[in-house]
Amino acid sequence: MLPKILLIRQNIATTPALTNPYAEAFNAMNSLKIDSDKIKDKTIGIAVGSRGLDQLPQLVKSIVDFVKANGGKPFIFAAIGTQGGGTSEGQAAMLASLGITEDTMEVPIRCCGESKYMGKTPSHGYDVYCNSIVDELEGLIVINRVKPHTDFTDITESGLLKIFAIGIGNPQGAQAIHTKALTEGHGKVIREIAAYMMAHLPVLFGVMTTENWKSQLDYVQAVLPENILETEKAALARVKENTIKLPVKALDALIVAEMGKNVSGTGMDTKTIGRIMILGQKEPDYPKIGRISVLGLTEATHGNYMGMGLADYTTMPVFRAMDIVDTSFNCVMASAPEQGRIPVIVENDRAAIAAAVETVGLDDPSRATLIYIRNTNCLEEMVVSEALYEQLKDNKNIEVLSELQEFEFDQDGRLLSFHKAFGL
């Protein structure tokens, strides 16, 4: 028997979202007072990654227009490491899914899966690779969001430094970094390789963003290359202070409605689910989750199910949507085969939820502590089981949004409960 459930909201303060991302970015770039001679009549490449940044089209369009306003000749190129199967066609599809197309941006978009060898870093002799497109550039601008990384913890994690080292590094660069990182640490390797690239490429500046825990853009700053490291460190510290987590440190079952590369590099945020499974990396202390079932892949992930190996169960519809070739390539390049494993496949949502609560050693599965979320970026509203709510009912940050009810499924076993609330 499945637990009874209800919808709750976590009422936790957060930083306000920016109301005019285009203007914020344009003003931030203007504030740098870049010498116009560095842009006028020059070919300027704008490196755009694969992460689903909030307001990404507006931000990129602002950079494009800034370059045009200063007399430059901008184009966008994909800086997405191993995403898109490492092909130019896959890279273009990934950018298009994020709203970055030649029609929307009004500039050419270039994609290239090839890497060129740049040299070795002076300190530790790390091999450095970059997208072959950089040979065409007279100026380079990068954009990325600063956030905690899913695979490691350090003073810098995911941000502008990563878009250099792994994004612009293309598949060969990404693989080289992940291989070294297994023994020497991701942060150290990324910082050293990014520094080498910034010293050898015509970098004008970076556009750095952060988001609040509602995944809303709350900060934009343009940063000169010599200031990127310290600025990124400070931005990451701020982000870590403004987080939302699951409301408990342990539960029997987590049900995830959707996962994908636009949600997290590993499909699900590893620190939210308490599982990383990267060779040499310490597993999080919390949360402790008995079973995880995944019920869907996002459209924007294009079948890439990297991170599914962190789950225990998924469904036949999810299995049919998996792109095994692209995901395998991604996992090999990232030195993360564990994250590309396929969990136990059951028929439908009903079976995936039942399996999760029936295989954690409970005499009465209806008393399982369970949470059902849309994805690991959406932790404000969630469904909890009756037994879990008993632990939360005195929490002043928890607001009840529904009556207690049963899980509901259609004739094919697809979950209907709270379908409308989650907009799925």
Side-chain angles (χ1 to χ4, degrees):
M1 177 180 284
L2 297 181
K4 290 185 178 181
I5 50 175
L6 68 158
L7 183 67
I8 66 166
R9 176 186 293 132
Q10 295 195 87
N11 291 318
I12 298 174
T14 189
T15 53
L18 299 183
T19 57
N20 192 339
Y22 179 97
E24 293 276 356
F26 203 96
N27 292 338
M29 290 181 285
N30 263 335
S31 70
L32 292 179
K33 301 187 184 303
I34 298 289
D35 184 348
S36 61
D37 288 342
K38 293 182 178 181
I39 300 177
K40 187 176 181 181
D41 297 324
K42 289 183 168 55
T43 300
I44 309 297
I46 303 168
V48 179
S50 60
R51 296 297 178 259
L53 278 65
D54 185 38
Q55 309 297 329
L56 180 63
Q58 290 192 55
L59 294 168
V60 175
K61 189 62 167 64
S62 182
I63 299 171
V64 167
D65 290 349
F66 176 82
V67 173
K68 289 180 177 179
N70 284 275
K73 297 176 288 185
F75 73 88
I76 293 166
F77 72 96
I80 60 179
T82 61
Q83 305 303 303
T87 67
S88 57
E89 296 81 7
Q91 291 176 348
M94 182 67 71
L95 291 184
S97 71
L98 300 174
I100 308 301
T101 67
E102 292 188 348
D103 288 340
T104 57
M105 298 295 107
E106 300 179 310
V107 290
I109 292 180
R110 299 287 309 281
C111 296
C112 172
E114 297 177 0
S115 306
K116 59 169 286 187
Y117 183 69
M118 292 185 68
K120 291 182 179 291
T121 62
S123 297
H124 295 90
Y126 301 143
D127 289 321
V128 182
Y129 298 86
C130 69
N131 193 315
S132 299
I133 286 176
V134 301
D135 287 338
E136 306 172 29
L137 305 181
E138 296 173 280
L140 171 62
I141 300 169
V142 299
I143 177 172
N144 204 22
R145 171 190 176 191
V146 174
K147 63 183 285 292
H149 197 280
T150 54
D151 294 343
F152 66 95
T153 299
D154 206 325
I155 56 171
T156 59
E157 298 181 26
S158 185
L160 295 183
L161 299 175
K162 182 171 175 280
I163 205 77
F164 278 107
I166 294 179
I168 296 177
N170 248 1
Q172 196 168 359
Q175 183 181 33
I177 288 171
H178 288 301
T179 299
K180 282 293 183 183
L182 292 179
T183 55
E184 302 196 29
H186 287 78
K188 170 187 172 182
V189 177
I190 288 171
R191 286 191 292 273
E192 187 166 320
I193 289 179
Y196 182 94
M197 295 176 79
M198 287 190 288
H200 291 81
L201 295 176
V203 184
L204 294 174
F205 57 86
V207 175
M208 181 182 296
T209 78
T210 65
E211 296 175 14
N212 61 28
W213 61 254
K214 293 185 178 184
S215 298
Q216 299 170 329
L217 178 71
D218 65 359
Y219 168 85
V220 178
Q221 183 173 354
V223 190
L224 295 172
E226 61 266 29
N227 298 326
I228 285 178
L229 174 59
E230 293 304 318
T231 306
E232 186 166 313
K233 286 166 59 176
L236 180 62
R238 290 197 305 271
V239 171
K240 288 184 175 182
E241 291 176 356
N242 175 41
T243 59
I244 187 172
K245 303 175 182 177
L246 295 176
V248 291
K249 290 186 174 180
L251 66 153
D252 295 316
L254 177 68
I255 312 301
V256 182
E258 61 178 11
M259 61 168 281
K261 299 293 288 188
N262 58 313
V263 174
S264 170
T266 51
M268 300 180 285
D269 182 79
T270 59
K271 293 164 187 176
T272 295
I273 66 174
R275 300 180 183 183
I276 294 178
M277 296 186 186
I278 291 286
L279 192 66
Q281 297 299 318
K282 180 181 181 296
E283 292 296 302
D285 293 328
Y286 301 103
K288 299 295 185 184
I289 300 174
R291 302 295 184 201
I292 298 175
S293 290
V294 174
L295 308 184
L297 294 175
T298 63
E299 182 178 351
T301 202
H302 296 283
N304 189 319
Y305 61 91
M306 185 172 183
M308 186 67 76
L310 305 178
D312 301 291
Y313 300 102
T314 192
T315 69
M316 280 302 300
V318 174
F319 178 70
R320 295 187 187 105
M322 291 178 176
D323 187 324
I324 293 176
V325 174
D326 278 3
T327 307
S328 297
F329 178 82
N330 193 176
C331 291
V332 170
M333 293 295 105
S335 298
E338 297 86 353
Q339 295 185 350
R341 292 173 179 167
I342 297 175
V344 173
I345 301 167
V346 295
E347 183 179 4
N348 51 36
D349 294 352
R350 185 203 307 269
I353 297 170
V357 299
E358 290 172 0
T359 60
V360 286
L362 298 175
D363 292 332
D364 181 4
S366 71
R367 295 299 299 164
T369 54
L370 173 148
I371 294 178
Y372 165 50
I373 58 174
R374 175 170 184 157
N375 60 55
T376 54
N377 284 350
C378 299
L379 300 180
E380 181 177 15
E381 293 183 1
M382 62 184 67
V383 171
V384 301
S385 65
E386 182 178 17
L388 186 66
Y389 178 67
E390 290 172 2
Q391 299 179 23
L392 299 175
K393 61 185 178 182
D394 295 326
N395 186 328
K396 295 180 180 179
N397 293 325
I398 300 298
E399 176 185 359
V400 177
L401 301 179
S402 76
E403 299 292 331
L404 200 63
Q405 66 180 66
E406 304 281 352
F407 276 106
E408 297 179 33
F409 304 91
D410 65 16
Q411 61 183 7
D412 296 319
R414 184 171 185 267
L415 182 61
L416 296 177
S417 298
F418 303 103
H419 178 92
K420 185 176 180 180
F422 280 177
L424 296 173

